[in-house]
Amino acid sequence: MSWKRILPVILLAVMVSATSAMAQPDKPWKWTFGHVYGGAAFPMGDSEGSLNQGWSFGGGATFHKENWPVAFVADLAYNNLTIQQDRLWGTDDKGDPVKIADSGSFDVWSVTGDLLWQPKTKGTVGFYLQGGVGMYYSSGQLTNSVYVPGWGC
């Protein structure tokens, strides 16, 4: 059986289990809990015309003391998107099209910290507000295939 068939099943199982992992802790001693996530990454804004869909994964921890309306959420994430094929072409001095790379990718790392405010409400329905700060590092790579003659071991 190939990975193309197994991987979607594994990702679905992880996403379903992540739903319960993000729930509020029901034990007073459990005030710290973690989370993991992964899935598709979509380019937005100005990058839509240059990047293709990619993938994303990340994780973090939530620190939420019992009877406190405020929690702290920390996250680390990685996103990888590929560069569209038509963006890998340029022009020479005469204006003729020239391929500048065979392929390319764009990576984004992020570290964020949020405060989450969730006041106690009566009943089963509640609400929360969340906001914070983050640092983001992005880089792009262009790759070319090169033929190197000779022997290899």
Side-chain angles (χ1 to χ4, degrees), residues 74-98:
D75 274 313
L76 172 66
Y78 174 74
N79 299 279
N80 176 273
L81 301 120
T82 58
I83 297 174
Q84 293 177 2
Q85 286 296 313
D86 62 336
R87 297 297 180 175
L88 300 174
W89 288 81
T91 55
D92 62 10
D93 294 340
K94 299 175 188 173
D96 296 327
V98 176

Side-chain angles (χ1 to χ4, degrees), residues 43-58:
M44 293 189 225
D46 293 338
S47 65
E48 273 184 300
S50 301
L51 300 174
N52 294 319
Q53 175 183 338
W55 52 273
S56 171
F57 70 87

